[in-house]
Amino acid sequence: MLTVDFSRFPLAPGDRVLDLGCGAGRHAFECYRRGAQVVALDQNAEEIREVAKWFAAMKEAGEAPAGATATAMEGDALALPFPDESFDVVVISEVMEHIPDDKGVLAEMVRVLKPGGRIAITVPRYGPEKVCWTLSDAYHEVEGGHIRIYKADELVAKVREAGLKPYGSHHAHALHSPYWWLKCAFGVDNDKALPVRAYHKLLVWDIMKKPLATRVAEQALNPLIGKSFVVYATKPHLPRLAEGAAAK
């Protein structure tokens, strides 16, 4: 299940991509399939081991085209172990809401992104997330949990302040919002509640089968209750005068 829409976020074979806070690796895998040179980075060692195993399995199965590469590694989002201007593309999905120094993370992403490079940022959307926080303290008051809820204009403003140029945004995963509301209402750790189990089965069916009816329904509902907010931006090229000044 992808949150980034690659029809709005072009990726070319050979692009060097950083999936920052990759988690289970869903976006990293898609970039690998598209022929990119992918680095999946996360601070969770167990998840990185699993991502590395999947990369190897994909290579063995021939799921990635010739020239594509994939590396999984542990790392700190606030101190990325890469030189300046190392990547053509950076993806950070459902990560920034966990990190106290979100401006520091943005600064690191801008540092490692090449001029003209593209970045995709996804966070939980304000409205659906606020409902979750209202229904359940346990939803967010856990170690490593969500520490803030972004409003769309707030996130876009921070992206601009970091020196990036936003060029598009949208909402995603409307069908997942009611699931999390049910989880919060019945207990985030209570997977046995009938409404939660029934809705989970619906989501699994939808992900596996991708029926037209639910695709159309989600597209219609995304502007209203989409679970995630996604913003796309580019790193501008320095004007020639600024480049000359920076070199002195």
Side-chain angles (χ1 to χ4, degrees), residues 179-238:
Y179 172 71
W180 282 103
W181 297 339
L182 288 169
K183 288 271 287 182
C184 290
F186 286 94
V188 290
D189 296 321
N190 180 13
D191 294 325
K192 295 182 179 180
L194 180 59
V196 175
R197 287 192 290 117
Y199 203 97
H200 183 264
K201 286 183 180 180
L202 170 66
L203 291 180
V204 172
W205 171 78
D206 174 57
I207 292 169
M208 298 301 294
K209 300 296 184 180
K210 298 181 173 63
L212 178 61
T214 56
R215 296 301 92 208
V216 171
E218 184 159 73
Q219 187 174 10
L221 290 170
N222 274 336
L224 302 173
I225 59 169
K227 183 74 170 66
S228 295
F229 174 64
V230 189
V231 60
Y232 305 106
T234 58
K235 179 177 178 178
H237 290 274
L238 284 172

Side-chain angles (χ1 to χ4, degrees), residues 64-88:
T69 62
T71 302
M73 61 184 294
E74 289 183 65
D76 182 353
L78 290 166
L80 295 174
F82 311 111
D84 296 355
E85 302 178 5
S86 297
F87 294 94
D88 303 290

Side-chain angles (χ1 to χ4, degrees), residues 142-160:
V142 295
E143 185 178 356
H146 299 180
I147 63 170
R148 70 172 66 81
I149 309 176
Y150 287 101
K151 292 184 177 179
D153 56 355
E154 174 194 1
L155 179 59
V156 171
K158 288 188 175 185
V159 168
R160 286 199 176 99

Side-chain angles (χ1 to χ4, degrees), residues 112-134:
V112 301
L113 187 64
K114 296 177 182 178
R118 303 170 304 286
I119 189 166
I121 301 170
T122 91
V123 297
R125 184 185 187 175
Y126 183 85
E129 183 77 348
K130 189 69 174 177
V131 172
C132 289
W133 283 44
T134 301

Side-chain angles (χ1 to χ4, degrees), residues 46-107:
E46 183 176 345
E47 286 195 311
I48 284 298
R49 283 192 293 270
E50 286 300 310
V51 170
K53 290 178 184 177
W54 278 105
F55 278 152
M58 290 172 67
K59 182 177 181 179
E60 182 70 21
E63 289 189 36
T69 62
T71 302
M73 61 184 294
E74 289 183 65
D76 182 353
L78 290 166
L80 295 174
F82 311 111
D84 296 355
E85 302 178 5
S86 297
F87 294 94
D88 303 290
V89 173
V90 176
V91 174
I92 183 167
S93 182
E94 311 300 302
V95 173
M96 288 180 55
E97 67 275 10
H98 296 272
I99 301 177
D101 186 8
D102 58 346
K103 289 186 178 181
V105 173
L106 276 166

